[in-house]
Amino acid sequence: MFENLSEHLTTFANDIDFEEPKPGQSGTYQSELRDPSGAAIGTVEGSYRIVTRRESDGVLLACINEKIVLTDGVVHVEAWARFENLISGEWLYCPAVGVSGRYAGRTGFRQWRPVELGKTAEAKLVFFTTQLS
């Protein structure tokens, strides 16, 4: 379990019109994960794409994909989210699955929220006690 992490953006590219976001717009990012002492513990490489506008309320929905590389394994994160939650400062809760090393077969979640948009975020990575069979 990794709590009280900070995430520091190292690269970011997107074609999002933040004044008028719409389906089809997307972005990519890379960041460094740091523990509470400030020591680097891994990296995050991710992408997001606004896929659709929900007809019932007009909310934009985005798909997020991430590869988290830690010193002792790799974790895959994939989730749907309201686009506004990617930039609002609200906690975003995403399922996570370990794909190699110590985390292989483990499930849990990644949670993060921007602190300073485009620069830093708070983050957590939590695994449940039982593994997938």
Side-chain angles (χ1 to χ4, degrees), residues 2-10 31-43 120-121 123:
F2 299 97
E3 293 193 71
N4 302 316
L5 301 177
S6 61
E7 191 168 332
H8 300 264
L9 201 63
T10 55
S31 58
E32 183 178 79
L33 279 175
R34 297 181 189 169
D35 70 15
S37 75
I41 63 163
T43 59
T120 61

Side-chain angles (χ1 to χ4, degrees), residues 91-107:
W91 281 103
L92 187 63
Y93 189 89
C94 304
V97 176
V99 294
S100 73
R102 173 180 162 194
Y103 311 103
R106 306 234 9 228
T107 60

Side-chain angles (χ1 to χ4, degrees), residues 5-78:
L5 301 177
S6 61
E7 191 168 332
H8 300 264
L9 201 63
T10 55
T11 62
F12 177 68
N14 79 80
D15 64 359
I16 305 277
D17 175 353
F18 287 97
E19 297 295 318
E20 195 173 328
K22 55 187 156 217
Q25 296 176 341
S26 62
T28 60
Y29 53 93
Q30 292 181 336
S31 58
E32 183 178 79
L33 279 175
R34 297 181 189 169
D35 70 15
S37 75
I41 63 163
T43 59
V44 178
E45 183 177 320
S47 65
Y48 58 93
R49 180 176 191 79
I50 301 173
V51 177
T52 190
R53 183 178 302 274
R54 195 164 50 200
E55 287 186 34
S56 63
D57 57 9
V59 167
L60 291 169
L61 296 174
C63 184
I64 303 162
N65 284 284
E66 293 182 327
K67 176 181 176 184
I68 301 173
V69 179
L70 302 164
T71 56
D72 52 357
V74 176
V75 177
H76 176 76
V77 174
E78 190 169 344

Side-chain angles (χ1 to χ4, degrees), residues 115-126:
V115 173
E116 190 174 351
L117 194 58
K119 294 185 180 182
T120 61
E122 292 179 286
K124 297 177 186 179
L125 185 58
V126 176

